[in-house]
Amino acid sequence: MVAFHLKTTALALAFAAGMATQGMAAEPTLDLVGPLSEYKLYVAENTAQLVTDTEAFVAAIKAGDVEKAKSLFAPTRMSYERIEPIAELFSDLDGAIDARADDYEKAEADEAFTGFHRIEYALWVESSTDPVQGYADQLLTDVKALDARINELTFPPEVVVGGAAALMEEVAATKISGEEDRYSRTDLWDFDANFAGSEKIYDLLKPLIAEKDPAFVTKTDANFKAVDDVLAKYRKDGGYVSYVELTDADRTVLSTRVNTLAEDLSTLRGMLGLN
Amino acid sequence: MGQSDRDTGPSRRRVLIGLGAGVAGAFAQEAAADAPMVNDAPHGDAQTAAQSVPFHGPHQAGITTPRPAAGIMVAFDLAITGPEDLDRMLRLLTERAEFLTQGGPVPERDPRLPPADSGLLGPVVAPDNQTITVALGDALFERFDWLRPLKPAHLQRMVQFPNDALVAGQCHGDMTIQFCANLQDTNIHALRDIMKNLSEFLVIRWMQQGDVPPVPPAPDGSTPSARNFFGFRDGSANPDSNDAALMDRIVWVGAEEPAWARGGSYQAVRLIRNFVERWDRTPLGEQERDFGRRKMSGAPLDGGPHATERDVPDYARDPEGKITPLDAHIRLANPRRPETEKNLILRRAFNYSNGVTKNGQLDQGLLFICYQADLDAGFIAVQNRLNGEKMEEYLKPFGGGYFFALPGVAGPGDYLGSGLIAAARSL
Ligand code: HEM
C-alpha cells in the first residue's frame, strides 16, 4: 500500500530522483494534503474532548470537590498536551491555559498566573477550590475559545510536520526534570500525551518517508517503542504513578530517546520539502 | 563568519565610504574606517587557532599535553544496555573527537534541513588546541555484568571526605569528557557537536566550565604558573610532564591493570568552592603560611628574597615547621619524603566562576582535575593527608568523581575503548 501510494505521487518522483535524502530535501508535495487533513481531524477530536473534560473538571471545582477535581486534573490535560504544537499557535490562550508559575515574576502569587497549573496549585498545595473559582470559569471559556479558533484554522504544513519534533523539544526542555506538574507529580501523563501527539504526526507522514529512508523509520519506530516500554512500567489504573517514582536510569533512557527523537524528527520538514 | 569575512570587513567599509565621500575626502575617511569600531570582533590569532594536538597515540591527549586557557569537564549518564551499544557509542565518539580536535570543513546540507554543525566556529572548524579526553566512571562498570570484571583495579566510587558537602547531582557519572582548547567557544562547539551526534547514548549529568588565565612569559623567558582564585600560582610543583619515564611511573597505568587499560590513567575530579571574600580578608602572612608559598612569586617560604616558584623547599631543614608550617597545603600534599614519592599526581586544574550564591557571595573555585597511575596511592592518599588542612576554612568541595581515562587511539581504524570492547566480548 505504501508503495502504491508513493508510485502515484510527485514525491515518489522526487524520491526516485534521489532528492529526499538527509542531505538534500525534497520539493513540497501535494502528498501532504492527506496527512494534513487527517491530522486536522485528530486535533478536532482532541479539542472537543478537551472541552468535555474541562467541563467536568470545572464542575468539580465549582462544587468544591477537591478530591474529584484532583482525579480529573491529569486526564483532562492530556488532550491539550497531545495537540500542543497547534494550541501554541494561539499564544494568548496557551499562556492563559497552560503557563507555569515560573513564567511570572511573582510566581504563584502572580495575578496573571491562571489556567491548569494555577488550579493544580490550589488543589495540591492550597488544598482548596476557593481561590480558583474565577480561574476555573476562565479556563472553560479559554478552552472553548481554543476549540473554536482551531476549528477555523488552516493548518500550516510546516507547523504540523514540525510539530512532531516540537513536542519532543517541549519534553526535553521543560518536562524531563519534572517541573511541569510540580504540585501534582502527574508529569508522566503529560509525557504520554506529548509522545502520542508526536507519534501521531510521525505515523501520518511515515508512508511518505518509509521507502526512501527505511533506516530513519526503523530508528524512529524503535525510539518511540523504547519510550513506550519505559512508560509502560509506570502505568497504573488507566493512568500513571507519581513522577517521583521514575528511576534515574529510566529518566536517562527517556531523556536520550526524547533528544534523539527531537534530533531526527527535526529533519522531517526538510525531508518533505517544507521550509 | 570565517577568517576571510573578517579580513574583507574593513576594506569593504573603506570602499563604501570612499564612494560616498568622493576622492578628496577619501583619505581622511579611510583613516577613520581603520579606527576600531564598536562591534569589531576582538582580534583572534590565526596561529593559535591552527594549533592542533595529535589525536593518535598510546595515550589520550589532554592529560600530559599542555593545559590551554579553557576547559570544560562534563559528566554524562549513558543509556546503553550491552557491549554493542557501548561499541557504537565509542566508535562514534572517536569519529567526532578526531574531527573536532583536528578540524576541517563542516558538511553542507540543504538549507531546509537543520545544519549539520552548530556553526559556532564558522564553515571550517579550527583545531585551536582542542583536546577531548574520555574517561569511564565506576558507575558504568558496576552496572553491567559484562563490564564489572573488567573494571580497572583502583576504580571506585568517590566517597565523602570530612570537609566535603557533596551535592548528589554534581557527583559521579558513567563517563566524563574533558574538553580543553585555547578558546572556550571551541570547547562549547565540541560539546554541542557531541551532544547532537550522540544524543541517543548520553545525557549530561553535570558539567563545570573553567579557565586558566594566560600569563606573559617571565623576563628570563620561562613561563610562570597561572594564578588560581586565591591569587596564588597553581602548578609550580607539578611533575614534569615532558619526562616520559616519570609520566610512565606516576600517570599511566601499567602491568597491574587489566591489559585493555594499559596506557590509560585515573582521573580524579573535584569541584571545590573557594570562599574568596573571606580569603581576601585574611592577612597575607596567614595566606602564605596556609599554602606554604609566597603569594606574588609563588616561591616556597624557605627561599630568600629572590627565590622563585621553581625552587624546591627543603623540609628536612625545617622539621618543626617553623618556616613552612607542617600543615601548610604544599607540605601536607607532598611531604617530599622517599616514601611519599609514590603519591605524586599530575594536576591539571581550571578556575571556575559560576555567578553568585543565594547569600550574595561569589561562587568561585577550582575545577580540580588530576591524573595518576594509582588512584589510591595518588589522589586519595593526598586528599587524606590534606584532610583538616588550614585552608579548609576557605574551601568546600561539593562535587566530582573518579573516572578512568581510556588508553589512546593507536591510529586510523582504532577507536577509544576498543580494547575494553574486545575484552567484554571475549568474557
Ligand atoms: C581549591 C582547592 C585547591 C587550591 C586552591 C590549591 C592550590 C594549590 C597551590 C597554590 C599550590 C602550590 C603551587 C603548586 O605546586 O601548584 C598547590 C600545590 C599542590 N596541591 Fe593544591 N590546591 C587545591 C586543592 C588540592 C587538592 C584537592 C589536592 C589533592 C588532593 C591538591 C594537591 C596539591 C599538590 C600535590 C600540590 C603540590 C605540592 C608539592 O609538590 O609541593 N591540591 N595547590
Side-chain angles (χ1 to χ4, degrees):
Chain A
M1 195 178 138
V2 169
F4 169 76
H5 179 80
L6 281 170
K7 242 177 257 154
T8 59
T9 64
L11 187 68
L13 294 175
F15 280 152
M19 292 175 65
T21 63
Q22 286 271 10
M24 212 192 279
E27 293 310 309
T29 169
L30 287 174
D31 267 12
L32 282 172
V33 172
L36 281 177
S37 51
E38 264 194 72
Y39 185 64
K40 191 158 195 246
L41 273 177
Y42 173 79
V43 172
E45 276 165 24
N46 273 285
T47 51
Q49 185 70 47
L50 177 66
V51 171
T52 311
D53 291 347
T54 305
E55 275 165 350
F57 179 54
V58 166
I61 295 163
K62 304 302 283 185
D65 191 341
V66 173
E67 286 316 308
K68 175 135 194 236
K70 275 178 155 182
S71 73
L72 294 177
F73 171 76
T76 300
R77 289 175 51 70
M78 296 212 31
S79 40
Y80 187 84
E81 292 289 326
R82 279 188 211 106
I83 56 135
E84 217 166 359
I86 300 299
E88 276 172 0
L89 292 175
F90 305 103
S91 58
D92 56 333
L93 290 177
D94 183 43
I97 293 170
D98 199 34
R100 303 179 320 182
D102 26 34
D103 293 329
Y104 303 98
E105 194 173 353
K106 292 189 213 146
E108 281 89 356
D110 210 302
E111 284 290 303
F113 176 40
T114 65
F116 276 118
H117 295 300
R118 175 64 185 89
I119 295 171
E120 180 193 7
Y121 178 69
L123 296 176
W124 271 271
V125 180
E126 299 174 305
S127 301
S128 165
T129 55
D130 294 344
V132 291
Q133 292 296 315
Y135 293 136
D137 288 331
Q138 192 201 325
L139 177 66
L140 187 54
T141 310
D142 289 341
V143 157
K144 285 180 171 164
L146 182 72
D147 180 46
R149 284 204 223 165
I150 287 181
N151 285 331
E152 281 167 23
L153 180 74
T154 307
F155 283 17
E158 67 281 0
V159 172
V160 175
V161 175
L167 279 157
M168 295 300 96
E169 298 290 2
E170 277 281 317
V171 178
T174 67
K175 297 201 172 148
I176 205 82
S177 61
E179 65 200 81
E180 174 82 0
D181 303 307
R182 69 190 65 170
Y183 320 113
S184 63
R185 312 316 329 223
T186 55
D187 310 71
L188 291 174
W189 297 70
D190 280 34
F191 275 39
D192 178 309
N194 288 157
F195 283 114
S198 176
E199 196 169 8
K200 178 73 187 179
I201 298 170
Y202 166 68
D203 281 342
L204 290 172
L205 300 172
K206 207 181 338 188
L208 306 185
I209 42 180
E211 276 219 334
K212 182 59 202 173
D213 201 341
F216 179 91
V217 169
T218 309
K219 185 178 173 201
T220 304
D221 283 349
N223 281 324
F224 274 120
K225 177 162 186 314
V227 166
D228 203 56
D229 289 346
V230 171
L231 288 180
K233 297 196 224 170
Y234 299 93
R235 284 198 187 108
K236 198 181 152 202
D237 305 335
Y240 283 95
V241 298
S242 163
Y243 190 71
V244 297
E245 294 188 33
L246 186 69
T247 64
D248 287 347
D250 281 335
R251 191 198 315 251
T252 301
V253 174
L254 279 182
S255 187
T256 52
R257 296 311 108 172
V258 167
N259 278 299
T260 304
L261 283 166
E263 198 67 56
D264 291 344
L265 294 172
S266 72
T267 63
L268 270 183
R269 279 174 25 181
M271 282 169 90
L272 297 173
L274 295 166
N275 267 317
Chain B
M1 289 271 138
Q3 188 64 42
S4 61
D5 289 321
R6 247 178 275 141
D7 288 343
T8 55
S11 57
R12 192 179 57 225
R13 214 149 52 216
R14 235 172 272 143
V15 170
L16 293 179
I17 290 169
L19 285 177
V23 181
F27 187 75
Q29 293 283 1
E30 185 171 317
D34 277 339
M37 300 267 288
V38 62
N39 55 348
D40 282 349
H43 280 212
D45 182 333
Q47 233 175 328
T48 61
Q51 288 168 341
S52 72
V53 184
F55 182 68
H56 293 129
H59 312 296
Q60 287 193 77
I63 299 174
T64 55
T65 48
R67 178 187 53 163
I72 310 183
M73 181 61 79
V74 190
F76 297 91
D77 287 330
L78 300 182
I80 58 161
T81 51
E84 300 314 312
D85 286 348
L86 185 60
D87 181 55
R88 269 199 312 133
M89 186 204 77
L90 290 168
R91 284 175 191 271
L92 191 53
L93 187 52
T94 306
E95 193 186 300
R96 296 321 301 163
E98 182 170 3
F99 168 70
L100 293 163
T101 56
Q102 303 309 298
V106 300
E108 278 183 49
R109 273 191 188 170
D110 186 296
R112 284 171 296 191
L113 289 167
D117 183 88
S118 63
L120 298 192
L121 303 181
V124 179
V125 171
D128 196 36
N129 249 334
Q130 177 86 69
T131 59
I132 292 176
T133 312
V134 178
L136 301 181
D138 178 70
L140 184 71
F141 286 96
E142 286 298 329
R143 196 157 72 245
F144 299 110
D145 292 339
W146 51 272
L147 268 183
R148 208 173 300 119
L150 298 169
K151 192 170 94 163
H154 298 284
L155 192 58
Q156 55 199 285
R157 188 181 162 90
M158 181 178 76
V159 291
Q160 177 128 3
F161 291 92
N163 188 42
D164 292 4
L166 299 181
V167 178
Q170 310 258 38
C171 294
H172 319 304
D174 290 341
M175 177 175 85
T176 55
I177 303 182
Q178 173 197 271
F179 297 89
C180 301
N182 294 330
L183 297 175
Q184 200 61 281
D185 280 65
T186 307
N187 288 326
I188 290 168
H189 170 263
L191 170 61
R192 279 172 58 173
D193 182 284
I194 284 171
M195 288 179 67
K196 184 176 179 68
N197 284 288
L198 280 90
S199 63
E200 66 183 293
F201 300 108
L202 42 79
V203 185
I204 294 187
R205 182 179 172 86
W206 53 266
M207 69 179 260
Q208 182 60 60
Q209 201 165 311
D211 304 275
V212 186
V215 180
D220 68 356
S222 66
T223 309
S225 302
R227 294 179 190 277
N228 59 32
F229 277 152
F230 283 147
F232 276 74
R233 295 195 185 279
D234 200 331
S236 318
N238 230 359
D240 178 1
S241 59
N242 289 315
D243 182 339
L246 184 64
M247 294 298 105
D248 277 343
R249 186 160 63 80
I250 69 172
V251 173
W252 309 120
V253 307
E256 67 291 352
E257 292 288 345
W260 74 263
R262 315 256 164 89
S265 184
Y266 289 94
Q267 177 191 64
V269 184
R270 301 272 287 169
L271 309 179
I272 307 175
R273 177 150 174 237
N274 295 173
F275 299 117
V276 295
E277 288 89 345
R278 186 166 181 194
W279 180 254
D280 289 345
R281 293 168 198 138
T282 302
L284 177 62
E286 190 178 329
Q287 292 187 4
E288 295 186 331
R289 283 194 299 278
D290 285 353
F291 273 115
R293 285 182 179 267
R294 298 270 170 238
K295 192 168 189 177
M296 285 306 122
S297 65
L301 295 183
D302 60 1
H306 302 294
T308 75
E309 59 165 321
R310 304 298 168 195
D311 292 348
V312 176
D314 185 354
Y315 301 141
R317 291 177 54 187
D318 177 27
E320 284 161 49
K322 291 208 167 100
I323 300 165
T324 308
L326 299 176
D327 57 359
H329 181 70
I330 64 163
R331 194 158 180 174
L332 289 173
N334 181 10
R336 296 176 185 265
R337 291 192 300 261
E339 70 274 19
T340 58
E341 275 287 294
K342 62 177 185 298
N343 305 128
L344 291 178
I345 58 179
L346 187 71
R347 289 167 294 136
R348 217 171 176 279
F350 293 89
N351 300 335
Y352 79 77
S353 178
N354 286 349
V356 66
T357 71
K358 265 189 274 187
N359 299 310
Q361 291 207 310
L362 294 171
D363 186 356
Q364 304 187 332
L366 196 68
L367 164 55
F368 177 91
I369 303 167
C370 73
Y371 292 93
Q372 53 261 293
D374 177 339
L375 183 61
D376 288 292
F379 174 79
I380 294 174
V382 176
Q383 182 57 58
N384 278 329
R385 280 204 302 260
L386 287 172
N387 289 343
E389 66 174 322
K390 278 278 186 41
M391 239 184 21
E392 279 187 353
E393 257 181 273
Y394 310 95
L395 296 181
K396 195 45 85 180
F398 63 91
Y402 302 149
F403 305 89
F404 186 79
L406 296 169
V409 177
D414 189 19
Y415 61 99
L416 286 162
S418 57
L420 174 62
I421 296 294
R425 284 185 173 141
S426 61
L427 271 185

